[in-house]
Amino acid sequence: MDEHQAGILLECASKYPIPKGVKISYGTAGFRADASILSSTVFRVGILAALRSLKTKSVIGLMITASHNQISDNGVKIADPSGGMLTQEWEPFADLLANAPDPQNLVKLISEFAKKENISFTGVYSAEVLLGRDTRPSGESLLEAARQGITSVVGALATGMGILTTPQLHWMVRYRNKGKSSLESDYFKQISNSFRCLMDYIPREMIASEMDELIVDGANGVGGEKLEVVKKTLSGLVIQVRNSGKEGEGVLNQGVGADFVQKEKIVPSGFGQIDVGKRCASLDGDADRLVYFHVLLGSNNKIELVDGDKILSLFALYIKQQLIILNKEDGHHVHLGIVQTAYANGASTDYLKKMGLEVVLTPTGVKYLHEKAYEYDIGIYFEANGHGTILFSASFLSWLETRNKELASTSEGSEQQLSVKRLLAVSELINQAVGDALSGVLLVEVILRHTGWSIQRWSELYQDLPSRQLKVKVVDRTAVITTNAETEVVKPAGLQEAINCEVAKYTMGRSFIRPSGTEDVIRVYAEASTQEEADHLAKSVAQHVDRFLGFGSS
C-alpha cells in the first residue's frame, strides 16, 4: 500500500471513530447492534467489501439490514461473488477490522492483510460493491458510511441498488458475476416468469380446483412493499398483503413477522378470527424468512404453524416426485440431499427418512447448511425459523438442459419432459444465493396447486414432537466442545453420558446442548412425546449443565 492510499484511509477513518467500550463480532448474519453505535463498523465493512472485490476480481454486495431485529437495531452483511455469505475464512479479519482501536491501527491491519492475501492497490482491477438497504430509518446514514468506506479504497466503485430485500441484493450479486443483467426489474421478471411456467405445468385435473387468496403478513418491512409489486405480475394467484410497511401502518417486526409468529405461535397484528382456516404466510423484516399458518377457531388468536421444516418437506416431496418421473425411463442417478440442523423437529427428520430421502445434519447456522447443500445435484435446506432454499449443481442443470432438448425432439409434451421443465423452472424461481421469502411463497403456492392440498392437509404431513429450549448461564461457554453436528458433547467428560441417561427415561426423547456464539450461555434443546416430558427432560439436562459448568461448579 502506497502513502497516498494510506493517507486517504487515515483521513476517512478519522471521521468514523469507534464508540467507547464497543466490541462487536461478525456472526452468520454479519454485524448487528443498536444503529446508534454502528457507523464506524459499517464504514470499515465498506473497506472490507472493496478488499474482497479486489481479491476475488468480482462484484461484491453490502447490505444494511438487521432482518427480524427491532427497528432501533441495524446491521451490515457482505455477499460474496456467488451471492452467498462472506467466506468464513475472512470473518476473523472482519472482527479485527471492526475493532481496530484507531485509524493508525486500522491502516496497519489493512496493509498487513493485503500483503498476506496478495491484494493489489495498483488499480489494475477496479473494485465494485453493490449497496442495498432495508426500510429502517437508520439505513440511509449507515449506507453513506458504507459508501465512504468503499470509496476510501482508491478506484473502488459503490453502486447503490436502492431499498431492497436482503435476498434481492444477494441475487443481484450472483447474476452480475455471471455476466447477466441484474436490475431489480430482472429479479421480478425472472420469478414471475418461472412461476407462470410452473403454473402452466400443473396437471390439467388440478387446474379446476381454485384456491382461496393467500394472506401475507409483510412484517411492516421491505418484503411487504416488494410483494405488492410482485403480485401485480402474477395470474392464477391472488395475494392480500397486510402489514405492508406503508406509512402509519405499524412498526417493523413489532408484533408481526415470521420470527414473531414462529416463536409465539399466535397471530401477527392485523390478523384474527376473521381469518380462521385461511391460508396465511408471514415474512420477516428483510424477507429472507418465511412461515405459513392458519388461525384456529375460537382459540384466542392461536395458530397452527407451518414452519420451515414443513416447507422443506413440501419442496422435497415435489422434487422427489419429478425425479421419479424423470427416472422411469432415464435411469440417470440424481443425488438429492436434505440438509437440516439438530434444531429441526425430530418428527420432520423421521418423516423425510421414511419418504426414502437422504437427510444429513450440520452445525447450526445457514452458512453450514448452504455449504453442505452444495455437495448434491439438488440440495434442499431449511431451518425451522423459515430460512432456506434449494441448490442445483451446475453439472445437473447442464444435464437437464441437454435432456430437455433431446425430449423436445423425441417426445414433446411427455410426462418426462414436463418433469425436466418443472425442475428447470424451480431452479429459476428459487433464489439459489440465499433463502428468499418472496420466491419461497411463489414456490409453495405452485406446489399446493400441483398437489391440490389445502394448508390443513399440508400441516398434517406429520405431527411435531413437543419441544423445549432453555438457556443456562455458565462460567465459560468454550469449555463445551461438541461433535456430530453439535448433537454430542465431547468435553467436559461425563456430561454426554449424563444427558444420555436423562434421554433414556422418555418416549421419543432427544436432547442436545450447544454453546452460544455470543455470550457465556449454554443452549439446551429437548424433545419428547408430550410437552410435560419435553419440559422435564430440558430441565434435567439444564441441571446437569449447571452441575458441570455453572457458577457452583467452579
Side-chain angles (χ1 to χ4, degrees), residues 11 66 86 110 139 301 535:
E11 185 187 344
L86 175 68
I110 293 167
N301 291 340
D535 291 347

Side-chain angles (χ1 to χ4, degrees), residues 2 6 20 67 116 147 152 181 188 190 218 234 253 257 269 274 291 299 345 435 437 501 504 517 521 539:
D2 61 22
K20 270 190 175 173
S67 187
K116 180 171 84 76
R147 191 185 300 279
S152 69
S181 183
F188 288 135
Q190 180 168 314
L234 306 174
N253 292 329
S269 178
I274 54 161
V291 296
S299 61
N345 195 277
C501 287
V521 156
K539 189 178 177 184

Side-chain angles (χ1 to χ4, degrees), residues 74-193:
N74 217 322
V76 57
K77 59 168 79 169
I78 286 181
D80 246 7
S82 65
M85 295 172 181
L86 175 68
T87 177
Q88 292 170 53
E89 291 166 8
W90 275 46
E91 286 180 15
F93 175 61
D95 285 348
L96 291 170
L97 204 63
N99 295 296
D102 52 54
Q104 289 75 19
N105 274 284
L106 180 71
V107 173
K108 184 171 180 279
L109 188 69
I110 293 167
S111 181
E112 288 169 356
F113 184 76
K115 195 173 179 181
K116 180 171 84 76
E117 290 287 328
N118 199 24
I119 295 170
S120 169
F121 292 95
T122 56
V124 174
Y125 175 81
S126 297
E128 184 178 4
V129 182
L130 304 187
L131 291 171
R133 69 175 179 95
D134 68 16
T135 53
R136 291 165 194 271
S138 57
E140 200 167 348
S141 64
L142 290 176
L143 199 74
E144 182 53 31
R147 191 185 300 279
Q148 292 291 329
I150 294 160
T151 55
S152 69
V153 174
V154 175
L157 180 66
T159 305
M161 305 305 287
I163 292 175
L164 302 168
T165 70
T166 295
Q168 282 183 310
L169 184 79
H170 283 263
W171 183 93
M172 288 169 177
V173 171
R174 183 170 184 258
Y175 273 77
R176 265 296 294 277
N177 286 316
K178 284 180 161 195
K180 296 182 178 180
S181 183
S182 56
L183 300 173
E184 187 178 26
S185 57
D186 298 311
Y187 168 88
F188 288 135
K189 186 177 175 184
Q190 180 168 314
I191 65 172
S192 58
N193 284 351

Side-chain angles (χ1 to χ4, degrees), residues 17 105 134 365 378 404 422 457 472 502 536 552:
N105 274 284
D134 68 16
I378 307 175
N404 190 35
R422 285 181 191 124
R457 167 69 184 84
V472 183
E502 297 300 335
H536 282 310

Side-chain angles (χ1 to χ4, degrees), residues 191-204:
I191 65 172
S192 58
N193 284 351
S194 47
F195 172 78
R196 196 174 301 117
C197 286
L198 283 165
M199 290 287 278
D200 289 344
Y201 303 147
I202 290 173
R204 284 212 179 99

Side-chain angles (χ1 to χ4, degrees), residues 197-203 205-206 313-336 355 357 378 380 390 392 396 399-400 403 407 413-427 443 446-452:
C197 286
L198 283 165
M199 290 287 278
D200 289 344
Y201 303 147
I202 290 173
E205 61 271 21
M206 293 298 177
S313 298
L314 185 73
F315 289 178
L317 289 177
Y318 181 79
I319 297 286
K320 187 189 175 201
Q321 184 187 33
Q322 305 319 309
L323 293 178
I324 288 169
I325 296 167
L326 193 57
N327 289 337
K328 270 180 187 170
E329 298 167 30
D330 211 291
H332 178 81
H333 176 69
V334 180
H335 199 184
L336 169 63
M355 290 294 107
L357 293 158
I378 307 175
I380 311 176
I390 307 173
F392 292 79
F396 178 61
W399 182 84
L400 278 177
R403 195 75 190 102
L407 290 165
S414 66
E415 261 304 294
Q416 209 181 8
Q417 193 198 17
L418 270 177
S419 69
V420 169
K421 285 183 170 181
R422 285 181 191 124
L423 289 169
L424 285 169
V426 170
S427 77
L443 186 53
V446 161
I447 297 173
L448 289 179
R449 279 159 179 74
H450 186 98
T451 53

Side-chain angles (χ1 to χ4, degrees), residues 347-358:
S348 79
T349 308
D350 287 345
Y351 173 79
L352 292 162
K353 286 179 176 175
K354 281 175 186 167
M355 290 294 107
L357 293 158
E358 180 183 331

Side-chain angles (χ1 to χ4, degrees), residues 12 25 78 82 175 230 253 261 289 356 398 439 534:
C12 292
S25 61
I78 286 181
S82 65
Y175 273 77
V230 171
N253 292 329
V261 169
R289 292 185 186 185
S398 175
S439 66

